[in-house]
Amino acid sequence: RERERERLIGKMKMKMKTTSVLVLSCALVCSSVGVALAKNATKADVLTKEQCTENVPYQEFATDNRIISCVRNASESCCEAMDELLGEESPVHYCTCSSGVLEDVLSEAVPMFATDIIHERIEECGLPVAGDERCDGIYDDSDQAKPTGDCVDEYPPDVDT
């Protein structure tokens, strides 16, 4: 009888080990699938660059007084408008990650003297822009941060004429 009991206990321990391994395996697979689904959901929400240029609200961006106020500073109303038109509340969210799309939007909707200022405000308001880690891998130009505008003049070599 004691032998039978030990045999049953041994079987139960073996089943418990097998069950534990299965539970851990299932947990790992499920978490991997969850991560993959989360990544796919993000990618599914991202428009192509062509869709971005077709769907950006150029007119609203050019005429919204809150956007115009951004020339002064990144005020609450400025950032609210940025978020509505280009940010998380907008259907074109993440389009600002393409340096080409963003520059096209700014050149189309903002007077030339204000494009750099508005680009700065977009960053100050926390929207993702090319070069930002939130943009990594979204577009082929997402890693190209806006040029700083710093340039070093190089003079030609002295030439006797």
Side-chain angles (χ1 to χ4, degrees):
R1 189 167 188 165
E2 186 62 33
R3 220 183 229 175
E4 182 65 22
R5 185 174 166 255
E6 284 180 28
R7 190 176 66 77
L8 287 173
I9 289 173
K11 279 185 173 181
M12 286 175 61
K13 283 182 179 178
M14 185 62 102
K15 282 185 178 182
M16 286 175 57
K17 285 180 184 176
T18 304
T19 303
S20 296
V21 169
L22 287 172
V23 168
L24 285 173
S25 298
C26 192
L28 286 172
V29 168
C30 291
S31 68
S32 298
V33 168
V35 167
L37 287 174
K39 284 183 180 178
N40 289 339
T42 302
K43 291 290 184 188
D45 294 338
V46 175
L47 301 176
T48 65
K49 288 197 283 187
E50 293 76 25
Q51 291 170 322
C52 286
T53 53
E54 291 169 6
N55 293 299
V56 167
Y58 293 100
Q59 188 65 33
E60 293 89 339
F61 196 82
T63 58
D64 190 315
N65 285 331
R66 298 170 304 163
I67 296 292
I68 295 167
S69 78
C70 293
V71 172
R72 282 185 298 250
N73 60 18
S75 65
E76 186 177 335
S77 66
C78 164
C79 291
E80 183 180 277
M82 290 286 189
D83 200 41
E84 284 176 23
L85 298 173
L86 300 175
E88 288 183 31
E89 298 177 31
S90 161
V92 293
H93 185 52
Y94 284 113
C95 289
T96 53
C97 285
S98 166
S99 61
V101 169
L102 182 56
E103 297 313 312
D104 288 348
V105 169
L106 294 177
S107 68
E108 181 78 27
V110 176
M112 192 167 64
F113 74 88
T115 55
D116 287 339
I117 294 168
I118 298 298
H119 192 285
E120 242 178 76
R121 300 300 182 255
I122 288 170
E123 291 182 57
E124 290 172 5
C125 289
L127 273 68
V129 294
D132 185 318
E133 68 181 31
R134 294 175 289 174
C135 295
D136 287 351
I138 293 179
Y139 297 109
D140 59 355
D141 59 352
S142 291
D143 61 344
Q144 300 170 7
K146 182 180 182 298
T148 61
D150 297 336
C151 67
V152 177
D153 288 334
E154 290 187 33
Y155 296 98
D158 289 334
V159 178
D160 292 342
T161 52

Short mmCIF file of all heavy atoms in Angstrom, two decimals, residues 61-100:
data_model
loop_
_atom_site.label_atom_id
_atom_site.label_comp_id
_atom_site.label_asym_id
_atom_site.label_seq_id
_atom_site.Cartn_x
_atom_site.Cartn_y
_atom_site.Cartn_z
N PHE A 61 -5.10 74.26 -40.91
CA PHE A 61 -3.80 74.57 -40.32
C PHE A 61 -3.40 76.01 -40.64
O PHE A 61 -2.87 76.72 -39.80
CB PHE A 61 -2.73 73.59 -40.83
CG PHE A 61 -1.48 73.57 -40.01
CD1 PHE A 61 -1.41 72.82 -38.85
CD2 PHE A 61 -0.36 74.29 -40.39
CE1 PHE A 61 -0.25 72.79 -38.07
CE2 PHE A 61 0.80 74.26 -39.63
CZ PHE A 61 0.85 73.52 -38.47
N ALA A 62 -3.68 76.44 -41.88
CA ALA A 62 -3.29 77.78 -42.32
C ALA A 62 -4.17 78.87 -41.72
O ALA A 62 -3.73 80.02 -41.60
CB ALA A 62 -3.33 77.86 -43.83
N THR A 63 -5.40 78.54 -41.35
CA THR A 63 -6.34 79.59 -40.92
C THR A 63 -6.74 79.53 -39.45
O THR A 63 -7.42 80.43 -38.98
CB THR A 63 -7.62 79.53 -41.78
OG1 THR A 63 -8.21 78.23 -41.65
CG2 THR A 63 -7.31 79.81 -43.24
N ASP A 64 -6.33 78.52 -38.73
CA ASP A 64 -6.70 78.39 -37.32
C ASP A 64 -5.93 79.43 -36.51
O ASP A 64 -4.70 79.44 -36.49
CB ASP A 64 -6.37 76.97 -36.82
CG ASP A 64 -6.95 76.67 -35.45
OD1 ASP A 64 -6.82 77.53 -34.55
OD2 ASP A 64 -7.50 75.58 -35.27
N ASN A 65 -6.65 80.31 -35.83
CA ASN A 65 -6.01 81.37 -35.04
C ASN A 65 -5.11 80.82 -33.95
O ASN A 65 -4.12 81.46 -33.58
CB ASN A 65 -7.07 82.29 -34.43
CG ASN A 65 -7.66 83.22 -35.46
OD1 ASN A 65 -7.00 83.57 -36.44
ND2 ASN A 65 -8.90 83.61 -35.26
N ARG A 66 -5.43 79.64 -33.45
CA ARG A 66 -4.58 79.03 -32.42
C ARG A 66 -3.22 78.64 -33.00
O ARG A 66 -2.20 78.78 -32.34
CB ARG A 66 -5.28 77.83 -31.80
CG ARG A 66 -6.58 78.21 -31.09
CD ARG A 66 -7.37 77.00 -30.68
NE ARG A 66 -7.65 76.14 -31.85
CZ ARG A 66 -8.05 74.89 -31.78
NH1 ARG A 66 -8.23 74.31 -30.61
NH2 ARG A 66 -8.28 74.19 -32.87
N ILE A 67 -3.22 78.18 -34.26
CA ILE A 67 -1.95 77.85 -34.93
C ILE A 67 -1.18 79.14 -35.20
O ILE A 67 0.03 79.22 -34.98
CB ILE A 67 -2.18 77.06 -36.24
CG1 ILE A 67 -2.82 75.71 -35.97
CG2 ILE A 67 -0.88 76.91 -37.03
CD1 ILE A 67 -1.96 74.70 -35.25
N ILE A 68 -1.89 80.16 -35.65
CA ILE A 68 -1.24 81.45 -35.91
C ILE A 68 -0.60 81.99 -34.63
O ILE A 68 0.50 82.55 -34.65
CB ILE A 68 -2.26 82.44 -36.53
CG1 ILE A 68 -2.68 81.91 -37.91
CG2 ILE A 68 -1.67 83.84 -36.62
CD1 ILE A 68 -3.89 82.58 -38.51
N SER A 69 -1.26 81.76 -33.49
CA SER A 69 -0.70 82.23 -32.21
C SER A 69 0.58 81.50 -31.84
O SER A 69 1.34 81.96 -30.98
CB SER A 69 -1.73 82.08 -31.09
OG SER A 69 -1.82 80.73 -30.65
N CYS A 70 0.84 80.38 -32.46
CA CYS A 70 2.06 79.61 -32.17
C CYS A 70 3.31 80.38 -32.55
O CYS A 70 4.40 80.07 -32.05
CB CYS A 70 2.04 78.28 -32.92
SG CYS A 70 0.79 77.11 -32.36
N VAL A 71 3.18 81.36 -33.42
CA VAL A 71 4.35 82.16 -33.79
C VAL A 71 4.92 82.84 -32.54
O VAL A 71 6.13 82.96 -32.39
CB VAL A 71 3.98 83.20 -34.88
CG1 VAL A 71 5.13 84.17 -35.12
CG2 VAL A 71 3.61 82.48 -36.17
N ARG A 72 4.03 83.23 -31.61
CA ARG A 72 4.49 83.88 -30.36
C ARG A 72 5.12 82.88 -29.42
O ARG A 72 6.20 83.10 -28.89
CB ARG A 72 3.32 84.58 -29.67
CG ARG A 72 2.95 85.89 -30.28
CD ARG A 72 1.88 86.55 -29.45
NE ARG A 72 0.70 85.70 -29.44
CZ ARG A 72 -0.44 86.00 -30.04
NH1 ARG A 72 -0.57 87.14 -30.65
NH2 ARG A 72 -1.45 85.18 -30.01
N ASN A 73 4.41 81.78 -29.13
CA ASN A 73 4.93 80.76 -28.20
C ASN A 73 4.09 79.50 -28.28
O ASN A 73 3.04 79.48 -28.90
CB ASN A 73 4.98 81.28 -26.76
CG ASN A 73 3.62 81.68 -26.22
OD1 ASN A 73 2.59 81.28 -26.75
ND2 ASN A 73 3.61 82.45 -25.16
N ALA A 74 4.58 78.47 -27.63
CA ALA A 74 3.86 77.19 -27.59
C ALA A 74 2.88 77.22 -26.43
O ALA A 74 3.03 76.51 -25.44
CB ALA A 74 4.84 76.04 -27.45
N SER A 75 1.86 78.05 -26.56
CA SER A 75 0.86 78.20 -25.51
C SER A 75 -0.04 76.97 -25.45
O SER A 75 0.02 76.10 -26.33
CB SER A 75 0.01 79.44 -25.77
OG SER A 75 -0.74 79.25 -26.96
N GLU A 76 -0.88 76.92 -24.45
CA GLU A 76 -1.82 75.80 -24.31
C GLU A 76 -2.74 75.71 -25.53
O GLU A 76 -2.96 74.62 -26.06
CB GLU A 76 -2.65 75.98 -23.03
CG GLU A 76 -3.53 74.78 -22.74
CD GLU A 76 -4.30 74.93 -21.43
OE1 GLU A 76 -3.83 75.67 -20.53
OE2 GLU A 76 -5.36 74.31 -21.31
N SER A 77 -3.25 76.85 -25.99
CA SER A 77 -4.16 76.80 -27.15
C SER A 77 -3.40 76.44 -28.42
O SER A 77 -3.94 75.73 -29.28
CB SER A 77 -4.90 78.13 -27.31
OG SER A 77 -4.01 79.17 -27.64
N CYS A 78 -2.16 76.86 -28.54
CA CYS A 78 -1.32 76.49 -29.69
C CYS A 78 -1.16 74.97 -29.73
O CYS A 78 -1.41 74.33 -30.75
CB CYS A 78 0.03 77.18 -29.58
SG CYS A 78 1.33 76.49 -30.63
N CYS A 79 -0.75 74.40 -28.61
CA CYS A 79 -0.52 72.95 -28.55
C CYS A 79 -1.81 72.16 -28.71
O CYS A 79 -1.81 71.07 -29.29
CB CYS A 79 0.20 72.60 -27.25
SG CYS A 79 1.90 73.21 -27.20
N GLU A 80 -2.90 72.70 -28.21
CA GLU A 80 -4.20 72.05 -28.37
C GLU A 80 -4.55 71.96 -29.86
O GLU A 80 -4.98 70.92 -30.35
CB GLU A 80 -5.26 72.86 -27.62
CG GLU A 80 -6.64 72.28 -27.65
CD GLU A 80 -7.61 73.18 -26.88
OE1 GLU A 80 -7.67 73.05 -25.64
OE2 GLU A 80 -8.29 74.01 -27.53
N ALA A 81 -4.33 73.06 -30.59
CA ALA A 81 -4.61 73.06 -32.03
C ALA A 81 -3.67 72.11 -32.76
O ALA A 81 -4.10 71.38 -33.67
CB ALA A 81 -4.47 74.47 -32.58
N MET A 82 -2.39 72.10 -32.39
CA MET A 82 -1.42 71.19 -33.01
C MET A 82 -1.88 69.74 -32.83
O MET A 82 -1.84 68.95 -33.77
CB MET A 82 -0.03 71.35 -32.39
CG MET A 82 0.66 72.63 -32.71
SD MET A 82 1.26 72.65 -34.39
CE MET A 82 2.22 74.14 -34.33
N ASP A 83 -2.32 69.43 -31.61
CA ASP A 83 -2.75 68.06 -31.33
C ASP A 83 -4.00 67.70 -32.12
O ASP A 83 -4.12 66.60 -32.65
CB ASP A 83 -2.98 67.88 -29.83
CG ASP A 83 -2.94 66.42 -29.43
OD1 ASP A 83 -2.08 65.68 -29.94
OD2 ASP A 83 -3.79 66.01 -28.63
N GLU A 84 -4.95 68.64 -32.22
CA GLU A 84 -6.17 68.38 -32.98
C GLU A 84 -5.89 68.17 -34.46
O GLU A 84 -6.49 67.30 -35.08
CB GLU A 84 -7.15 69.55 -32.83
CG GLU A 84 -7.86 69.59 -31.51
CD GLU A 84 -8.74 70.84 -31.39
OE1 GLU A 84 -9.13 71.43 -32.43
OE2 GLU A 84 -9.01 71.25 -30.24
N LEU A 85 -5.01 68.98 -35.03
CA LEU A 85 -4.77 68.94 -36.47
C LEU A 85 -3.70 67.94 -36.91
O LEU A 85 -3.79 67.39 -38.00
CB LEU A 85 -4.42 70.34 -36.97
CG LEU A 85 -5.52 71.39 -36.79
CD1 LEU A 85 -5.01 72.77 -37.18
CD2 LEU A 85 -6.76 71.02 -37.58
N LEU A 86 -2.69 67.72 -36.05
CA LEU A 86 -1.58 66.85 -36.45
C LEU A 86 -1.25 65.77 -35.43
O LEU A 86 -0.50 64.84 -35.73
CB LEU A 86 -0.31 67.68 -36.69
CG LEU A 86 -0.37 68.75 -37.76
CD1 LEU A 86 0.93 69.56 -37.77
CD2 LEU A 86 -0.63 68.15 -39.12
N GLY A 87 -1.77 65.88 -34.22
CA GLY A 87 -1.37 64.99 -33.14
C GLY A 87 -2.27 63.78 -32.97
O GLY A 87 -2.93 63.33 -33.90
N GLU A 88 -2.29 63.27 -31.73
CA GLU A 88 -3.01 62.04 -31.42
C GLU A 88 -4.51 62.11 -31.71
O GLU A 88 -5.13 61.11 -32.01
CB GLU A 88 -2.80 61.66 -29.95
CG GLU A 88 -1.40 61.16 -29.67
CD GLU A 88 -1.22 60.73 -28.23
OE1 GLU A 88 -2.18 60.26 -27.61
OE2 GLU A 88 -0.09 60.87 -27.73
N GLU A 89 -5.08 63.30 -31.62
CA GLU A 89 -6.51 63.46 -31.89
C GLU A 89 -6.80 63.52 -33.38
O GLU A 89 -7.95 63.54 -33.79
CB GLU A 89 -7.03 64.73 -31.22
CG GLU A 89 -6.91 64.72 -29.71
CD GLU A 89 -7.36 66.02 -29.08
OE1 GLU A 89 -8.25 66.69 -29.63
OE2 GLU A 89 -6.81 66.38 -28.02
N SER A 90 -5.77 63.57 -34.18
CA SER A 90 -5.90 63.77 -35.62
C SER A 90 -5.80 62.45 -36.39
O SER A 90 -5.08 61.55 -35.99
CB SER A 90 -4.78 64.70 -36.06
OG SER A 90 -4.56 64.62 -37.44
N PRO A 91 -6.49 62.37 -37.53
CA PRO A 91 -6.34 61.16 -38.37
C PRO A 91 -4.97 61.08 -39.04
O PRO A 91 -4.63 60.04 -39.58
CB PRO A 91 -7.45 61.30 -39.40
CG PRO A 91 -7.86 62.73 -39.40
CD PRO A 91 -7.51 63.29 -38.05
N VAL A 92 -4.19 62.16 -39.01
CA VAL A 92 -2.86 62.14 -39.63
C VAL A 92 -1.75 62.05 -38.59
O VAL A 92 -0.60 62.41 -38.86
CB VAL A 92 -2.65 63.37 -40.56
CG1 VAL A 92 -3.57 63.31 -41.75
CG2 VAL A 92 -2.82 64.68 -39.80
N HIS A 93 -2.09 61.53 -37.40
CA HIS A 93 -1.09 61.35 -36.36
C HIS A 93 0.06 60.50 -36.89
O HIS A 93 -0.16 59.55 -37.63
CB HIS A 93 -1.73 60.68 -35.14
CG HIS A 93 -0.81 60.55 -33.97
ND1 HIS A 93 -0.11 61.60 -33.45
CD2 HIS A 93 -0.47 59.48 -33.22
CE1 HIS A 93 0.61 61.20 -32.42
NE2 HIS A 93 0.42 59.90 -32.27
N TYR A 94 1.25 60.83 -36.53
CA TYR A 94 2.51 60.22 -36.95
C TYR A 94 2.97 60.68 -38.34
O TYR A 94 4.08 60.39 -38.74
CB TYR A 94 2.50 58.69 -36.89
CG TYR A 94 2.62 58.16 -35.49
CD1 TYR A 94 1.56 57.49 -34.89
CD2 TYR A 94 3.78 58.35 -34.75
CE1 TYR A 94 1.66 57.02 -33.59
CE2 TYR A 94 3.89 57.88 -33.45
CZ TYR A 94 2.82 57.22 -32.88
OH TYR A 94 2.93 56.76 -31.60
N CYS A 95 2.14 61.41 -39.07
CA CYS A 95 2.61 61.94 -40.36
C CYS A 95 3.74 62.93 -40.15
O CYS A 95 4.58 63.12 -41.04
CB CYS A 95 1.46 62.58 -41.13
SG CYS A 95 0.26 61.37 -41.76
N THR A 96 3.80 63.56 -38.99
CA THR A 96 4.88 64.49 -38.68
C THR A 96 6.22 63.76 -38.54
O THR A 96 7.26 64.41 -38.49
CB THR A 96 4.57 65.27 -37.38
OG1 THR A 96 4.26 64.34 -36.33
CG2 THR A 96 3.41 66.22 -37.57
N CYS A 97 6.19 62.44 -38.49
CA CYS A 97 7.42 61.66 -38.42
C CYS A 97 8.18 61.66 -39.74
O CYS A 97 9.37 61.36 -39.77
CB CYS A 97 7.12 60.22 -38.00
SG CYS A 97 6.73 60.04 -36.25
N SER A 98 7.51 61.95 -40.83
CA SER A 98 8.17 62.04 -42.12
C SER A 98 8.67 63.46 -42.30
O SER A 98 7.87 64.40 -42.38
CB SER A 98 7.21 61.69 -43.25
OG SER A 98 7.75 62.08 -44.50
N SER A 99 9.98 63.63 -42.38
CA SER A 99 10.51 64.99 -42.54
C SER A 99 10.01 65.60 -43.85
O SER A 99 9.71 66.79 -43.90
CB SER A 99 12.03 65.00 -42.46
OG SER A 99 12.60 64.21 -43.48
N GLY A 100 9.87 64.80 -44.88
CA GLY A 100 9.37 65.30 -46.16
C GLY A 100 7.94 65.77 -46.09
O GLY A 100 7.59 66.86 -46.58
#
